[in-house]
Amino acid sequence: MSKLRFIILCLSLCLGLCTWSQRRFVHVQGQDLVQPNGQKLFIVGTNLGNWLNPEGYMFGFSKTNCEWMIHEMICQMVGPDFAADFWKAFKDNYITRKDIDFIASTGANTIRLPFHYKLFTDEDYMGLTNHQDGFKRMDDVVSWCKANHLYVILDMHDCPGGQTGDNIDDGYGYPWLFESERSQQRFCEIWQKIAAHFANEPTVLGYELMNEPIAHYFENKETLNKKLEPLYKKAVAAIRKVDRNHIVILGGARWNSDFYMFSDWKFDDNIMYTCHRYGGEPTSEAINDYIAFRNKTGLPMYMGETGHNTDEWQAKMCRVLRDQNIGYTFWPYKKIEGSCMVAFHKPEGWDSVIVKFSETPRTSFKEWREARPDQAKARQLLKQFLEATKFENCVPQTSYIQSIGLGIQHTNHRK
């Protein structure tokens, strides 16, 4: 056999192996996602927000609005040991197998799982100072979803250094990630570690590299925006060293709304893009930029977050997204009352004790001492909050579920 023919044969075998591997996983085919059985996948589902990335507004707070602030507040109010116990119980109870079973019963086919990068480091996070439990929590969700024939999108909602510059990245008010080689290296290393762990798991649909990068507040936002695609390429290269099976999902700047900074959109053969939309008119004209970018790239577009609106608005938005072949996961699945799939009631006295303390100035030890509520009452309310979040104590929001194109007691989940 000639050397040329041998090389051609090897290349053909490699291509065949890659194609066979992709058929075991959801993969990109033009503007569509295709399942292992060859059928098109139109994403319909929800986000497990607030579970592994606590946000203040879902606790009823307005000023104490990210995890590190909430953790400090609880420590100031009831002490660090109780705070650690609170977070452990929160992670154990907020999302369980019962929640995933319920989501599957509505006819959803996909769950987006937001997570904090600190779950994969030894940095202080949610009451743990070492031996973080990121893989345990992810493995639980993936196993529950596998049993229910649901797909999972892993979404790094909070990146090293902060990728947004607002409360949602649990950072310090600036997207330092894009100016720190150390943070970028950690970002790529964590994604490579996650990809190696899930490389052969078809329940995982894909890896969403970062949530809503680069807010619009900063004068140098254009300079920052230009750094987005190069960092995506670094992370994808790190992932592909250990996993060529899974889709990589890329979001645009300014709340996943701007895509003009992307030019080399086919640098990988299994990538897609994701957008977000809250408010405004639920029309195809309102999301025309997303549609135009999708058509230009010839790659799938997926609405990773939308919602927080009236049932009528949400139903109209879903019709638009279906007409435009843009799958969606609504935000969020669960929170205190309001627009979500299941809601829970805050304990009586929550606002007058816990929320009041969260809003009170606490910039000195004197202010902590003067604002600190009765210990027994505060601890009781925090325990009651944990109890309220359990699935069996939540109330399904039937009209909300119907408005996003789902219903209860469906059985065929992957549609």
Side-chain angles (χ1 to χ4, degrees):
M1 181 182 294
S2 69
K3 185 176 180 180
L4 177 60
R5 289 180 64 189
F6 178 75
I7 292 173
I8 293 172
L9 178 60
C10 289
L11 290 173
S12 298
L13 286 171
C14 289
L15 181 61
L17 285 171
C18 290
T19 302
W20 175 84
S21 178
Q22 281 196 347
R23 286 175 182 167
R24 296 173 51 233
F25 298 82
V26 177
H27 58 276
V28 170
Q29 186 171 301
Q31 296 184 3
D32 296 326
L33 299 179
V34 178
Q35 301 179 81
N37 61 9
Q39 294 182 358
K40 174 183 172 180
L41 172 68
F42 183 84
I43 293 174
V44 179
T46 189
N47 283 265
L48 301 184
N50 199 45
W51 180 39
L52 301 179
N53 66 315
E55 294 191 55
Y57 82 96
M58 294 207 225
F59 291 79
F61 309 150
S62 60
K63 294 180 180 179
T64 304
N65 54 8
C66 68
E67 189 279 337
W68 70 261
M69 292 181 179
I70 300 170
H71 179 66
E72 283 194 355
M73 182 204 79
I74 297 175
C75 288
Q76 293 164 5
M77 184 167 53
V78 292
D81 290 343
F82 189 93
D85 292 341
F86 172 85
W87 287 123
K88 171 67 163 57
F90 181 84
K91 285 191 282 188
D92 287 346
N93 294 318
Y94 197 84
I95 297 295
T96 66
R97 170 68 185 262
K98 292 178 181 178
D99 293 282
I100 305 305
D101 290 347
F102 176 78
I103 292 170
S105 77
T106 68
N109 58 35
T110 303
I111 286 174
R112 182 173 180 251
L113 176 58
F115 68 91
H116 201 301
Y117 85 91
K118 289 182 180 179
L119 287 161
F120 300 93
T121 71
D122 276 339
E123 298 176 69
D124 292 1
Y125 188 62
M126 293 184 80
L128 289 178
T129 55
N130 54 33
H131 303 299
Q132 292 290 348
D133 58 355
F135 280 125
K136 179 202 180 312
R137 302 297 173 177
M138 279 188 180
D139 286 344
D140 284 345
V141 172
V142 170
S143 67
W144 299 334
C145 287
K146 180 189 286 286
N148 278 290
H149 306 291
L150 292 166
Y151 292 114
V152 180
I153 291 172
L154 303 178
D155 153 49
M156 189 182 285
H157 221 73
D158 313 84
C159 300
Q163 79 280 6
T164 304
D166 209 335
N167 66 291
I168 60 166
D169 67 16
D170 192 40
Y172 298 97
Y174 186 81
W176 301 105
L177 172 64
F178 297 95
E179 296 187 357
S180 167
E181 287 295 329
R182 189 183 308 170
S183 292
Q184 291 180 23
Q185 182 178 354
R186 176 169 290 185
F187 172 70
C188 294
E189 288 173 349
I190 293 170
W191 267 122
Q192 187 176 75
K193 185 189 301 184
I194 292 170
H197 185 80
F198 291 109
N200 296 307
E201 179 48 71
T203 300
V204 174
L205 187 156
Y207 309 128
E208 186 172 336
L209 296 190
M210 66 178 76
N211 177 68
E212 297 184 342
I214 312 170
H216 60 287
Y217 311 126
F218 310 105
E219 291 184 1
N220 64 334
K221 60 181 179 292
E222 293 303 322
T223 300
L224 293 170
N225 287 347
K226 291 177 182 177
K227 298 180 179 182
L228 186 55
E229 187 173 71
L231 180 53
Y232 278 158
K233 288 183 175 182
K234 288 181 183 178
V236 172
I239 288 170
R240 293 305 184 217
K241 288 180 180 179
V242 296
D243 180 357
R244 298 204 60 83
N245 296 324
H246 286 97
I247 297 169
V248 176
I249 304 170
L250 311 177
R254 193 177 62 87
W255 321 114
N256 280 20
S257 293
D258 289 341
F259 296 88
Y260 65 85
M261 71 289 302
F262 300 125
S263 59
D264 187 14
W265 45 79
K266 291 188 178 179
F267 66 87
D268 184 84
D269 62 1
N270 207 22
I271 58 173
M272 62 182 285
Y273 290 84
T274 179
C275 57
H276 291 176
R277 180 74 178 190
Y278 290 101
E281 289 298 316
T283 63
S284 58
E285 289 75 19
I287 60 169
N288 187 61
D289 287 350
Y290 310 157
I291 298 168
F293 182 76
R294 187 270 312 275
N295 293 341
K296 179 170 68 173
T297 63
L299 296 171
M301 178 65 78
Y302 145 69
M303 183 74 73
E305 289 183 27
T306 186
H308 279 322
N309 218 302
T310 65
D311 291 345
E312 181 183 16
W313 185 95
Q314 292 180 166
K316 289 181 178 178
M317 176 58 78
C318 287
R319 287 196 290 272
V320 169
L321 294 174
R322 286 183 178 275
D323 288 345
Q324 296 298 330
N325 191 31
I326 297 176
Y328 54 84
T329 49
F330 269 69
W331 181 279
Y333 160 67
K334 177 190 289 188
K335 69 180 182 69
I336 292 179
E337 289 114 6
S339 183
C340 54
M341 290 183 79
V342 298
F344 59 91
H345 300 296
K346 55 192 173 186
E348 185 176 351
W350 181 259
D351 288 348
S352 61
V353 177
I354 307 298
V355 175
K356 180 181 178 181
F357 184 75
S358 78
E359 302 298 295
T360 301
R362 292 174 281 108
T363 58
S364 69
F365 285 90
K366 181 175 183 292
E367 288 180 338
W368 294 356
R369 290 192 295 270
E370 293 177 348
R372 185 177 292 121
D374 176 78
Q375 292 283 288
K377 182 61 175 177
R379 294 183 183 208
Q380 178 189 32
L381 286 168
L382 288 168
K383 290 178 180 178
Q384 290 175 346
F385 180 90
L386 292 170
E387 189 69 22
T389 66
K390 292 180 179 179
F391 176 77
E392 52 267 31
N393 297 322
C394 293
V395 181
Q397 307 297 292
T398 304
S399 63
Y400 172 97
I401 293 168
Q402 292 173 343
S403 76
I404 65 174
L406 298 171
I408 300 176
Q409 298 305 321
H410 286 261
T411 56
N412 184 21
H413 310 314
R414 289 184 178 175
K415 296 183 177 180

